[in-house]
Amino acid sequence: MRNGLKTLGFGIALLGVTGAAAGCTSARASSNSSGHGTISIVAGENEYGDVAQQIGGAYVSVHSVDSNPNTDPHTYEATPSVGREIAQANLLIENGVGYDTFMTSMASASPNSARKVIDVQKLLGLPDSTPNPHLWYDPKTMPAVANELATQLSALDPAHAATFRANATAFTASLKPWLNAIAAFKATHAGTKVATTEPVADYLLQAMGIDNVTPWRFQADIMNGTDPTPQDVALEKGFFTQHQVKVFCYNQQVTDPLTDSIRQTALSANVPVVGVYETMPTPGYDYQSWMMAELNAIEKAVTSGQSTQRL
């Protein structure tokens, strides 16, 4: 993740949004709030969109802006069509912490007091200074999002409130196998040392009791598109050549010659490599199975030295 890059193209997009917003927003919101049609949801990232679909079921229509796991999410450019989706939406879900500022900016360009907004950063009570924005890897995040979705959807469509509540309860229960697997790994492998390029999966690694030895300054440099110092690059590669770590977790969606050379150093030293994602891989995954797949990949790397560079 490179902070700020997701605002690219926003100015261009606004030119196509502001004119369309006034004529569309009130009509769509009125229809949905009266119980007719579906509730229109726009999520900044498809992991949030997936959870919204699971909670809303047949009563929602979800559009996820960032949904391609095969591209660098930092090259995303907000388009007029996304602006129109946001302008017409009844409910927005944004990560916050500077990750998807285009959501807030586009919503501001088409104000609608009836539109609901779930800002995950605010929902979790996190300050703007939160260093790691990849909140969806924190096991505490999605249960909170699911419950908030049930609350907001119930306000928009009271007739189906019981369904939304039941779906949120079922979703939270469905995370138990993943949470149990996290606890089991921690009980057996706590203190395992790994290296990373970015703090993409750091919240999950912390929950698993893993010791990420890569200095924060190196992770932050890579995340923010800044060249790390030669000393830090040498330190990072030394983790592999000196066999100080058991796994290398790298952001397989954001690669460049430097991160690729680090990955090659790990492979050459027979350190297993696990590719982690910022965007939920599709098709074939939902949030629960994606998180379980990444945990399984890390466990296989630790226990059998097996690399999983792509899910």
Side-chain angles (χ1 to χ4, degrees):
M1 180 271 179
R2 291 183 170 126
N3 285 329
L5 293 181
K6 288 193 174 187
T7 61
L8 290 173
F10 170 64
I12 297 175
L14 275 183
L15 296 176
V17 174
T18 52
C24 298
T25 303
S26 60
R28 179 80 70 91
S30 176
S31 173
N32 287 325
S33 61
S34 65
H36 302 291
T38 58
I39 298 170
S40 176
I41 301 175
V42 175
E45 296 74 30
N46 66 348
E47 46 266 31
Y48 293 124
D50 175 69
V51 176
Q53 188 66 65
Q54 293 189 51
I55 306 307
Y59 306 109
V60 300
S61 173
V62 180
H63 174 74
S64 297
V65 177
D66 202 349
S67 59
N68 189 344
N70 298 312
T71 62
D72 181 347
H74 314 122
T75 60
Y76 168 76
E77 294 187 5
T79 64
S81 63
V82 171
R84 286 190 290 273
E85 291 277 354
I86 289 174
Q88 297 172 16
N90 306 119
L91 174 60
L92 304 179
I93 309 173
E94 55 191 55
N95 181 76
V97 204
Y99 191 81
D100 46 11
T101 54
F102 65 92
M103 293 286 289
T104 303
S105 300
M106 283 190 160
S108 298
S110 55
N112 176 6
S113 60
R115 184 170 52 217
K116 307 290 187 183
V117 177
I118 296 177
D119 182 316
V120 178
Q121 174 195 345
K122 294 179 180 176
L123 179 65
L124 299 176
L126 299 174
D128 292 341
S129 58
T130 300
N132 184 359
H134 307 96
L135 306 180
W136 53 92
Y137 272 97
D138 188 329
K140 299 187 296 295
T141 295
M142 285 307 186
V145 171
N147 286 330
E148 184 63 14
L149 275 162
T151 298
Q152 298 299 339
L153 293 176
S154 296
L156 290 165
D157 185 359
H160 298 106
T163 298
F164 301 140
R165 291 292 180 195
N167 288 346
T169 299
F171 173 81
T172 299
S174 73
L175 294 175
K176 286 186 177 179
W178 178 51
L179 298 177
N180 290 341
I182 290 172
F185 182 95
K186 186 174 183 178
T188 306
H189 304 292
T192 296
K193 297 184 183 302
V194 307
T196 63
T197 50
E198 296 188 46
V200 175
D202 273 14
Y203 291 120
L204 175 60
L205 298 179
Q206 291 162 10
M208 295 169 70
I210 287 175
D211 180 12
N212 181 4
V213 300
T214 299
W216 173 258
R217 61 178 181 273
F218 180 89
Q219 294 188 86
D221 284 345
I222 297 294
M223 179 173 69
N224 294 320
T226 302
D227 291 335
T229 66
Q231 292 82 359
D232 280 346
V233 173
L235 177 67
E236 178 81 351
K237 291 188 175 182
F239 294 142
F240 312 123
T241 58
Q242 299 172 28
H243 300 284
Q244 296 177 358
V245 297
K246 298 198 71 171
V247 182
F248 175 46
C249 295
Y250 84 114
N251 183 356
Q252 68 85 33
Q253 281 183 254
V254 183
T255 60
D256 60 21
L258 173 59
T259 59
D260 191 56
S261 73
I262 294 172
R263 181 178 61 86
Q264 291 296 341
T265 300
L267 291 171
S268 296
N270 294 318
V271 174
V273 175
V274 174
V276 296
Y277 292 70
E278 295 192 35
T279 307
M280 184 179 71
T282 55
Y285 286 99
D286 56 21
Y287 175 76
Q288 299 94 314
S289 60
W290 172 35
M291 288 293 107
M292 183 63 86
E294 291 212 356
L295 184 150
N296 287 338
I298 294 169
E299 184 166 31
K300 288 178 182 176
V302 171
T303 59
S304 62
Q306 178 179 332
S307 290
T308 305
Q309 298 196 50
R310 294 183 64 86
L311 293 178

